[in-house]
Structure formats: C-alpha cells, structure tokens
Amino acid sequence: MENAIQTLYTGLKALGVDVYFPRQHRGDCLSPYCVLKLQSKLRFGDFSSNTRYLDVLCYTPKNDYAKVLDYQHEIESHMKSMQDKLMIRDTGTATPPYFDTAVNGWMTSVQYALYERRK
C-alpha cells in the first residue's frame, strides 16, 4: 500500500503534472514543474493521528514570471481534487514568487497538512 506522499505523487502524475521529490529535478527550469517536500510531523491533539506538513514548490521558467501564480493555482486545484482521498488540507500558507538562481526559474510554494494515523 502506498503512503500519502506517494499517492499524491502518482495522482499528480496521472493529471499530467511534471512532479518531483526534492533533488530529483536536474538543470534549469525549462517548463513548469512542482516538487513535493515533506516538513515536520506533529501529534494531532489527543487523537490517534499525526499532522505532517507538506510544501508544494511550484516552478516556472525565468521568462514566465506572469505565469507562476497561474501555475500555483492549477496545482492547488489538483490538490483540492485529491483532498478527501488523502485527508489533506490547504493551510492557507503560500510564499510570494521569487527567482531561484539554482534552477533559473520562478518559485512559489503552498503548504498543506496531511493527516495520518499514528503507528
């Protein structure tokens, strides 16, 4: 059985999104893509669940600054379509676009909370 991050990765791929885990993409940003990056995990109250935070980094090429927010909204729409299946929600936290010199492209990120059963 796949874990939530793998299910999310597979689901985004099936929707035609160019998606990666950290340090998988190589070279400059030549077309839009996103990166799924897990963050901290916290106990969810006294329940038998944990909350794991996930940053979805959205990239567009250096000449497409005007499209970075459109791409972010597209990814947010895809994430919303999978929220019930994966017990995921948007935290309302997003970063403004900035130029990432490591990939020569524009990046913005959106944070999500994944709820998982504590083991």
Side-chain angles (χ1 to χ4, degrees), residues 6-19:
Q6 185 62 47
T7 302
L8 182 57
Y9 177 91
T10 304
L12 288 171
K13 277 283 191 196
L15 292 169
V17 175
D18 194 10
V19 60

Side-chain angles (χ1 to χ4, degrees), residues 2-71:
E2 292 184 330
N3 61 31
I5 190 72
Q6 185 62 47
T7 302
L8 182 57
Y9 177 91
T10 304
L12 288 171
K13 277 283 191 196
L15 292 169
V17 175
D18 194 10
V19 60
Y20 299 90
F21 291 122
R23 302 188 55 82
Q24 283 187 322
H25 186 272
R26 299 286 183 234
D28 288 350
C29 177
L30 302 175
S31 61
Y33 68 92
C34 73
V35 175
L36 305 177
K37 183 179 177 191
L38 287 174
Q39 297 294 345
S40 59
K41 178 167 73 172
L42 303 169
R43 186 174 179 168
F44 188 68
D46 290 331
F47 299 101
S48 61
S49 300
N50 291 319
T51 303
R52 164 106 43 197
Y53 291 96
L54 167 73
D55 286 337
V56 180
L57 313 175
C58 303
Y59 291 90
T60 57
K62 65 181 177 183
N63 295 330
D64 284 342
Y65 175 77
K67 294 181 182 175
V68 69
L69 292 178
D70 289 339
Y71 185 63

